[in-house]
Amino acid sequence: MGQRGGTGGSGATAHERAFVRALPVLLLVVGVLYDASTPPDFTAAPLFTAAPLIAAPFYSLLNTALTGAAASLSVIVLHYGNAANSHVEAVTELLTVMTVAALAVVTNRVVRRGNDRLATARSIAEATQRAVLPQPDPRIGGLDIAARYEAAQADAFIGGDLYAVQDTPHGVRLIVGDVRGKGMGAVAAVAVVIGAFREAAEQEATLEAVAQRLERALAREGTRRDGLDAFEGFTTAVLAEIRLSDGCVRLVNRGHPEPLLLRGDGRLCVLSPSEPALPLGMGELGGWPDRADESRFPPGAMLLFYTDGLSEARDAAGVFYDPAARLGGRIFPGREGPHALLATLTQEVRRHTGGAATDDMALLAVRRPATADATHGRREREGDPG
């Protein structure tokens, strides 16, 4: 998943949390000033009661207990200095504040245990993420690579989108796909697709044969599923094979959004398949053979692969984000170009959706170095600063 982004407005959230953390102290100070400057019939007991309750989910256990003790001590001191208050009233307010302070300590323990469980679950999710969908190296087979996984749900780490890049005897082969469904069923299908791809990419002589291996792997997986997924499980995917020797990219598209070719001069080309094809896992509906399309991949150009979380991201008016229209004429030069491209796309989609994306988004950018980049890289490897 590479870099995973969250929702927008993180600065506002940080300010809100800082304010809430300071609120218990503020309540105690305001309560003391209010009680000391008003007639005896007025009481600041609600402020003293609220302080430890607000502290409970944000403070440590010790600080929560200290906040409760400070609230109780404030009530004692204020009533001691105000002889006009009845003894019954003073005791009632003190018992109320002490009871709430004790409940705040209990609440703090419960919240801390829940946070510990959540932290454990997040660690497991991150480990699963790295195992199922590892971040590709920034340079594979002479190509500059960048990948990014953006989860629609905050704090989510993994879903049904996938990508993998592998250097093979047949060239650099890669896959970007989107598994139907959500949850652990989709994660299991992702693991099947990536596992089958890594094995087939090394062994199969053609990209078409790789696609057929994935088809058979998903068919086997489908026989082990129950219910609706056993009949409707499928994966949209685009497979690519890049050979630097002849400067070509070969593509097999199985019902997936078309990749984009961004040339070094800003020109953009949509790599549409010559013939439409069904997604992987739907082979029983038709036996059409896979046919790879070949395109030139010139030096300095970039390929952008993405899932429909990008092209189907909508704004408040329901208008889709169109990556081809947005990227035409723009240049992302140099070895950091792929990373800059994905960072730009992520920021623009967040602005377009207002931070309310409804689907995960997987992005993969592949750049063929220009001649100057390749010469510089060779000099670096040979120890010549050039």
Side-chain angles (χ1 to χ4, degrees):
M1 310 199 180
Q3 299 171 344
R4 190 189 66 83
T7 58
S10 57
T13 301
H15 289 308
E16 291 171 0
R17 289 181 64 87
F19 172 74
V20 173
R21 288 185 64 86
L23 190 55
V25 176
L26 182 63
L27 288 174
L28 292 178
V29 173
V30 172
V32 170
L33 294 176
Y34 177 84
D35 207 308
S37 59
T38 57
D41 292 338
F42 294 86
T43 177
L47 300 180
F48 296 130
T49 302
L53 283 179
I54 296 175
F58 298 100
Y59 286 11
S60 66
L61 179 63
L62 176 60
N63 287 336
T64 300
L66 290 176
T67 302
S72 302
L73 182 61
S74 299
V75 172
I76 294 174
V77 171
L78 289 170
H79 278 287
Y80 179 79
N82 191 351
N85 285 339
S86 67
H87 177 71
V88 174
E89 180 181 345
V91 171
T92 300
E93 289 188 7
L94 177 61
L95 288 176
T96 300
V97 172
M98 293 179 65
T99 300
V100 172
L103 291 175
V105 170
V106 174
T107 301
N108 178 272
R109 292 291 301 275
V110 173
V111 170
R112 293 298 165 187
R113 288 174 182 172
N115 288 342
D116 290 342
R117 293 191 186 99
L118 179 59
T120 301
R122 288 170 62 91
S123 299
I124 294 173
E126 289 176 346
T128 303
Q129 172 190 17
R130 290 190 293 268
V132 175
L133 204 63
Q135 175 77 351
D137 293 333
R139 197 167 181 87
I140 299 177
L143 300 170
D144 298 321
I145 309 290
R148 185 182 284 255
Y149 191 104
E150 291 287 321
Q153 183 178 359
D155 298 325
F157 289 91
I158 192 167
D161 291 3
L162 63 97
Y163 51 70
V165 185
Q166 191 158 327
D167 192 8
T168 76
H170 315 285
V172 175
R173 286 176 169 175
L174 61 89
I175 182 173
V176 174
D178 187 357
V179 173
R180 175 195 171 274
K182 301 289 183 183
M184 293 309 298
V187 174
V190 167
V192 169
V193 172
I194 292 181
F197 168 78
R198 294 201 179 279
E199 182 179 1
E202 289 285 341
Q203 298 175 355
E204 299 294 346
T206 67
L207 199 61
E208 293 88 340
V210 175
Q212 288 303 310
R213 283 277 290 271
L214 297 181
E215 183 74 48
R216 293 193 294 272
L218 282 173
R220 291 192 300 270
E221 173 69 11
T223 61
R224 294 193 290 267
R225 293 193 178 194
D226 298 325
L228 185 63
D229 283 346
F231 299 97
E232 296 189 2
F234 61 84
T235 299
T236 67
V238 58
L239 294 93
E241 178 183 279
I242 303 170
R243 301 189 302 266
L244 292 182
S245 59
D246 57 9
C248 289
V249 56
R250 302 179 74 243
L251 298 171
V252 170
N253 194 321
R254 299 293 295 269
H256 198 76
E258 297 94 340
L260 303 180
L261 175 64
L262 290 75
R263 299 179 183 272
D265 58 5
R267 288 180 296 164
L268 183 145
C269 180
V270 179
L271 302 181
S272 302
S274 56
E275 294 183 8
L278 291 172
L280 297 168
M282 301 183 71
E284 72 279 358
L285 299 181
W288 300 282
D290 286 298
R291 181 175 298 174
D293 295 297
E294 190 169 293
S295 301
R296 293 289 300 168
F297 188 21
M302 269 196 297
L303 287 165
L304 173 64
F305 302 87
Y306 57 92
T307 57
D308 59 10
L310 175 68
S311 55
E312 295 184 2
R314 290 182 288 187
D315 62 12
V319 178
F320 290 110
Y321 180 88
D322 186 351
R326 297 294 187 99
L327 295 175
R330 301 168 73 173
I331 299 175
F332 302 88
R335 300 175 79 175
E336 293 301 315
H339 294 281
L341 170 61
L342 300 193
T344 298
L345 286 171
T346 301
Q347 293 169 2
E348 290 189 357
V349 168
R350 287 180 189 166
R351 288 196 298 266
H352 185 77
T353 62
T358 58
D359 196 6
D360 294 352
M361 179 175 66
L363 305 171
L364 180 68
V366 181
R367 176 179 177 270
R368 182 184 179 188
T371 304
D373 296 340
T375 302
H376 179 68
R378 185 170 61 253
R379 285 175 174 172
E380 285 182 338
R381 291 192 297 272
E382 293 173 354
D384 181 4

